[in-house]
Amino acid sequence: MRKVAARIVEQLHFEAIEAADGLEALSYCRSAMPDAILLDWSMPTMDGMEFLEKLRAEPNGDHPLVVMCSAETNPERIQFALDRGAAEYIMKPFDGDIIASKFEAVGLI
Amino acid sequence: MTPNDLAFVAELTRQQAGVIIRADKSFFVETRLGPIARREALESVAELIDRVRSTNDATLTRQIVAATLVQDTSFFRDRATFARLQESVIPTLASRDKAPIRLLSAGCATGQEAYTLAMVALESLAPPRIDIVAIDFSAQALMKAETGVYSHFEVQRGLPIRSLLRHFEQADDHWKTRPDLRQSIRWGEHNLLDDLTPLGEFDIVVCSHVLSAFEPAAAAATLDRLDAVCRDDGFMVFGANESVSPPAAFASTPTPGVWRRSSAFPRVSSAG
């Protein structure tokens, strides 16, 4: 799923860097803060919500636009993610049109 | 599907809906007509077309024409257009008087455009005072529009997540528009080739991504019919990238596809 998302993002002319979990993503962000993050909720070691909290506490951590991408479709859980700083939310399964639409909605395209 | 059968269907569609079907649309048309053939217990699309040829069955013909019309639509298609309606056009119209703002979604397909209009209007006006009329040729598309139920994929094409949470309820693995959204829209089966004046006058007439598929003469006549139901100083809206221009009474605005009528111009007859 991560590789599919990365390919779609690259087709939208973005440079995509993959991270296997929240820890790896946080380590990358500390070295080079990205403009946007496509963030899964369910990840090993550090899940999406914990990552988002730690990201926002980093210097310049409020810079990336975070688009959540999750199989979670409960409206209250989605609102929970938005309240914690996600700009948009993609419900799995998704396709290229959906990612493009969501990126457009937050002004990335 | 034989070229002869395609030409027959294309001529029906041109006559009844003003829409052009190109010769390379054979696969599309056959795919759309397959369900009708099965419902009629016929072996093939060819048999369906033979039946219409021999019986001139008006109901079946209308179903065939409706099935061949492209129903490609999405929420917030042409995002900049809806931003302008929400931030500028609707507040300006609301400041004139206390009357409800009337909007027409002409060629509304499965309803995403009309619901988007309802969302931006409800979020622009407190208290909400809108009257949206949404019309389409296809009874089947209108049936879906009226239920307000959309798939996981449909609600994720164009609809911001906050709008989804605010205006929709989860219904199993689908999403259903909330009652206040549904109650703000009246749906009607209506052919854009017919007189529109029985629908009344509108402050905003939206006919987006519809007329590009029309043959030029039908598009020009339809623009006059749309003009006839657009109020003085009202707005007409097309697709942002469509090369459709309204009658001379309309002036462009800074937002592509959004035009404003000037009351200085006389109205054309709505006949025809």
Side-chain angles (χ1 to χ4, degrees), chain A residues 1 5 8-9 12 37-41 66-73 78 81-82 86-103, chain B residues 152-153 156 159 161 164:
Chain A
M1 189 65 87
I8 293 170
V9 167
L12 295 171
I37 298 172
L38 196 56
L39 178 64
D40 202 335
W41 195 318
V66 173
V67 177
M68 289 295 297
C69 183
S70 171
E72 177 62 72
T73 62
I78 295 173
L82 297 177
E88 253 300 338
Y89 194 102
I90 294 170
M91 297 177 285
K92 294 178 184 176
F94 56 82
D95 60 16
D97 285 349
I98 289 174
I99 290 187
S101 166
K102 295 292 186 176
F103 275 24
Chain B
H152 168 94
F153 284 94
Q156 296 207 88
L159 189 61
I161 192 69
L164 177 72

Side-chain angles (χ1 to χ4, degrees), chain B residues 94-162:
Chain B
S95 68
R96 285 182 324 194
D97 54 42
K98 300 287 182 205
I101 294 174
R102 298 200 76 224
L103 302 94
L104 174 66
S105 173
C108 66
T110 45
Q112 285 91 328
E113 176 183 280
Y115 283 120
T116 304
L117 288 170
M119 283 185 262
V120 300
L122 289 173
E123 290 177 14
S124 307
L125 300 169
R129 46 188 174 90
I130 53 167
D131 176 22
I132 299 174
V133 176
I135 57 171
D136 200 84
F137 187 98
S138 168
Q140 194 172 2
L142 287 164
M143 205 182 306
K144 175 182 168 79
E146 197 159 9
T147 63
V149 176
Y150 295 94
S151 74
H152 168 94
F153 284 94
E154 287 168 322
V155 296
Q156 296 207 88
R157 293 214 168 87
L159 189 61
I161 192 69
R162 287 174 178 79

Side-chain angles (χ1 to χ4, degrees), chain B residues 82-103 120-121 123-126 129-130 203-204 231-235 253-255 258-261:
Chain B
F82 289 105
R84 181 173 176 85
L85 293 181
Q86 180 163 1
E87 291 159 13
S88 166
V89 172
I90 292 174
T92 300
L93 292 169
S95 68
R96 285 182 324 194
D97 54 42
K98 300 287 182 205
I101 294 174
R102 298 200 76 224
L103 302 94
V120 300
E123 290 177 14
S124 307
L125 300 169
R129 46 188 174 90
I130 53 167
D203 299 291
I204 304 172
R231 282 186 176 141
D232 293 346
D233 293 328
F235 291 82
T253 71
T255 307
V258 180
W259 301 70
R260 183 163 201 185
R261 196 178 200 288

Side-chain angles (χ1 to χ4, degrees), chain A residues 33-74:
Chain A
M33 199 59 81
D35 295 312
I37 298 172
L38 196 56
L39 178 64
D40 202 335
W41 195 318
S42 174
M43 294 187 292
T45 316
M46 182 191 291
D47 75 9
M49 282 305 106
E50 189 182 350
F51 165 81
L52 188 50
E53 191 179 328
K54 291 191 185 313
L55 170 76
R56 295 309 191 201
E58 290 290 320
N60 202 26
D62 57 352
H63 171 71
L65 279 167
V66 173
V67 177
M68 289 295 297
C69 183
S70 171
E72 177 62 72
T73 62
N74 181 299

